[in-house]
């Protein structure tokens, strides 16, 4: 029996587990219930379990036949602060939180792979299962690494997989080199002078400044960056005021900068600060810019990206593999793990539906045996490499 068919024998159990996780989402560093379930599942399979790495992370260690090779597999566990807008029977039971990125599915796929490997033990060396908290911009990977992830559980290679709700269904997409962008998160706080709305001349209007600065920042990509290099500046929050007849004291802009190129990343950060300083001088306001490195560029190691494509071809067929897919401007903190050890990150296409971070998103459960088989086969093949 092949790997996928064997995992399909318990796919209903995995689907029930995934839907339970979906109904009980926990955001970054709050994954107490989720990590507890993960640990219980691994222990049930006879896997050595270590809890509390990176606060709420879990690491499982499984020995196969004698061998020196150690292969890491990683899944993210956290949900998002989004109110779910589905009528699913297993929809979120926690107001304002939902699994809108499929981390419930990724966790379940890795549990499925762990179960298969624990039952078969058809590999040499060691499998290390890394269940990571707080992927959604809170630095869960960096927290696990700071807690000694790769010192305590050294691996020769590490792999991760993410669902792709845009499809095509069952197609694995991977590439060597940069596959996901770096991201800086910013907060820009404007302090003007409050006044009566009928007497604007007595104040310094932070809303006028905020809207002008927001427009000016959109010119950075169109007029300051090389058009042959990818970059995105997105303002995702504007906060100001609380009354119809009051010019407020302050305003707040927030958002992200996405890049692949280190020099361009530096240029954009500099231009944001220069524009803020210029608007502050022009209007007599004070503007503070907080720009933070949250995600590094996810740079797949060439040999490991090739291994991912090879194993997916073996499992799914050559028509179900894109070995040189297009990079994405989204970001992923698995980047910090592949910066520490060689590794590869891949996308697995789902039945097309609502996109990631959408309040109507739901993970495609038909991917569970496919993703679990891919991860399990990675251990079987790469421990023998």
């Amino acid at each position: 029996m092949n790997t996928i068919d064997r995992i399909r024998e318990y796919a209903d159990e995995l689907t029930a587990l995934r839907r339970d996780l979906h109904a009980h989402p926990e955001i970054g560093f709050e994954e107490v219930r989720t990590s507890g379930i993960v640990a219980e599942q691994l222990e049930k399979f006879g896997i050595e379990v270590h809890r509390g790495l990176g606060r709420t992370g879990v690491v499982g260690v499984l020995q196969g036949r004698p061998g020196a090779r150690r292969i890491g597999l990683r899944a993210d566990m956290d949900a998002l602060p989004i109110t779910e807008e589905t009528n699913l029977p297993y929809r979120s039971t926690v107001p304002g939180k939902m699994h809108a990125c499929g981390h419930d599915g990724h966790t379940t796929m890795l549990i499925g792979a762990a179960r298969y490997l624990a039952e078969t033990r058809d590999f040499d060396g060691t499998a290390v299962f890394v269940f990571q908290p707080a992927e959604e911009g809170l630095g869960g990977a960096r927290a696990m690494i700071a807690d000694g992830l790769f010192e305590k559980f050294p691996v020769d290679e590490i792999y991760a997989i993410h669902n792709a709700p845009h499809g095509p269904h069952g197609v694995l997409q991977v590439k060597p080199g940069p596959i996901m962008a770096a991201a800086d998160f910013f907060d820009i706080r404007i302090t003007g002078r409050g006044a009566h709305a009928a007497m604007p001349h007595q104040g310094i209007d932070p809303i006028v400044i905020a809207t002008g600065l927001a427009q000016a920042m959109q010119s950075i990509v169109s007029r300051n960056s090389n058009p042959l290099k990818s970059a995105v500046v997105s303002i995702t929050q504007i906060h100001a005021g609380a009354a119809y007849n009051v010019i407020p004291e302050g305003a707040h802009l927030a958002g992200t900068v996405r890049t692949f190129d280190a020099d361009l990343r530096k240029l954009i950060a500099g231009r944001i600060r220069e524009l803020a300083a210029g608007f502050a001088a022009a209007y007599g306001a004070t503007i503070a810019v907080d720009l933070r490195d949250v995600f590094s560029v996810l740079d797949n190691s060439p040999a490991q990206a090739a291994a991912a494509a090879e194993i997916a071809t073996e499992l799914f067929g050559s028509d179900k593999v894109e070995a040189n897919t297009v990079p994405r401007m989204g970001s992923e903190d698995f980047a910090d793990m592949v910066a520490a050890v060689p590794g590869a990150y891949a996308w697995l296409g789902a039945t097309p539906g609502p996109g990631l971070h959408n309040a109507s998103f739901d993970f495609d459960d038909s991917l569970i045996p496919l993703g679990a088989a891919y991860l399990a086969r990675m251990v079987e093949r790469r421990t023998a490499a």
Side-chain angles (χ1 to χ4, degrees):
M1 184 181 295
N2 67 37
T3 308
I4 296 174
D5 287 342
R6 178 154 183 164
I7 293 173
R8 280 181 174 143
E9 289 187 337
Y10 51 88
D12 288 347
E13 295 175 50
L14 293 174
T15 297
L17 174 62
R18 199 285 296 181
R19 294 180 178 186
D20 176 75
L21 295 175
H22 187 91
H24 301 90
E26 296 171 305
I27 60 175
F29 295 124
E30 296 178 5
E31 306 94 338
V32 175
R33 180 183 186 274
T34 303
S35 62
I37 290 172
V38 167
E40 290 170 6
Q41 290 285 319
L42 297 181
E43 287 170 345
K44 184 172 69 175
F45 307 148
I47 295 171
E48 176 188 317
V49 173
H50 302 264
R51 305 176 189 232
L53 205 74
R55 293 166 59 177
T56 48
V58 177
V59 177
V61 180
L62 179 66
Q63 302 294 334
R65 294 184 294 264
R69 298 275 296 168
R70 300 174 64 90
I71 303 300
L73 304 174
R74 173 271 202 178
D76 36 18
M77 300 188 293
D78 56 322
L80 285 155
I82 295 175
T83 298
E84 184 162 352
E85 295 180 2
T86 75
N87 291 314
L88 297 167
Y90 50 86
R91 63 187 172 274
S92 172
T93 60
V94 184
K97 300 176 185 179
M98 75 169 289
H99 275 291
C101 200
H103 296 188
D104 49 346
H106 305 158
T107 297
T108 304
M109 288 192 291
L110 186 50
I111 288 172
R115 174 174 171 174
Y116 171 87
L117 290 168
E119 290 176 353
T120 60
R121 306 274 178 148
D122 189 19
F123 65 97
D124 304 313
T126 306
V128 178
F129 308 106
V130 179
F131 292 86
Q132 181 206 307
E135 189 279 326
E136 296 287 358
L138 296 177
R142 293 177 184 178
M144 293 192 83
I145 292 168
D147 268 0
L149 173 64
F150 295 125
E151 289 77 28
K152 296 173 182 176
F153 311 100
V155 296
D156 298 296
E157 304 174 352
I158 192 163
Y159 296 89
I161 193 168
H162 199 293
N163 76 98
H166 49 273
H169 183 271
V171 173
L172 186 120
Q173 301 163 329
V174 70
K175 71 176 293 293
I179 190 170
M180 297 192 75
D184 297 306
F185 286 19
F186 61 80
D187 288 276
I188 301 173
R189 300 188 185 279
I190 302 164
T191 304
R193 185 169 61 243
H196 195 294
M199 292 170 271
H201 60 290
Q202 296 179 355
I204 298 174
D205 192 337
I207 294 177
V208 170
I209 299 168
T211 55
L213 179 56
Q215 289 291 329
M217 285 171 61
Q218 296 308 305
S219 71
I220 296 173
V221 172
S222 66
R223 289 297 176 269
N224 299 133
S225 68
N226 185 332
L228 298 180
K229 294 182 178 180
S230 299
V232 176
V233 176
S234 292
I235 295 170
T236 57
Q237 300 178 51
I238 299 179
H239 306 283
Y244 287 99
N245 58 350
V246 176
I247 293 172
E249 187 81 9
H252 172 207
L253 302 176
T256 65
V257 177
R258 314 274 176 163
T259 54
F260 284 101
D261 182 88
D263 290 338
L264 180 56
R265 189 179 195 181
K266 183 178 179 180
L267 180 149
I268 292 174
R271 287 297 295 140
I272 290 173
R273 297 184 190 281
E274 289 165 359
L275 286 170
F279 271 80
Y283 286 92
T286 299
I287 303 180
V289 178
D290 178 20
L291 191 64
R292 306 178 299 283
D293 172 353
V294 176
F295 294 99
S296 303
V297 174
L298 202 171
D299 196 348
N300 277 346
S301 309
Q304 284 64 43
E310 179 183 348
I311 288 166
T313 298
E314 174 191 316
L315 285 170
F316 311 141
S318 59
D319 61 328
K320 293 288 189 178
V321 177
E322 293 179 12
N324 195 23
T325 192
V326 177
R328 290 160 169 76
M329 292 305 296
S331 303
E332 162 61 80
D333 74 356
F334 186 63
D336 295 299
M337 295 192 182
V338 296
V341 297
Y345 182 90
W347 293 81
L348 184 58
T351 301
L356 302 175
H357 296 206
N358 185 295
S360 297
F361 173 85
D362 185 34
F363 182 83
D364 181 351
D365 288 322
S366 70
L367 297 185
I368 293 173
L370 303 181
Y374 165 81
L375 294 170
R377 192 65 178 142
M378 190 67 72
V379 171
E380 292 177 337
R381 289 290 300 275
R382 298 304 290 175
T383 53

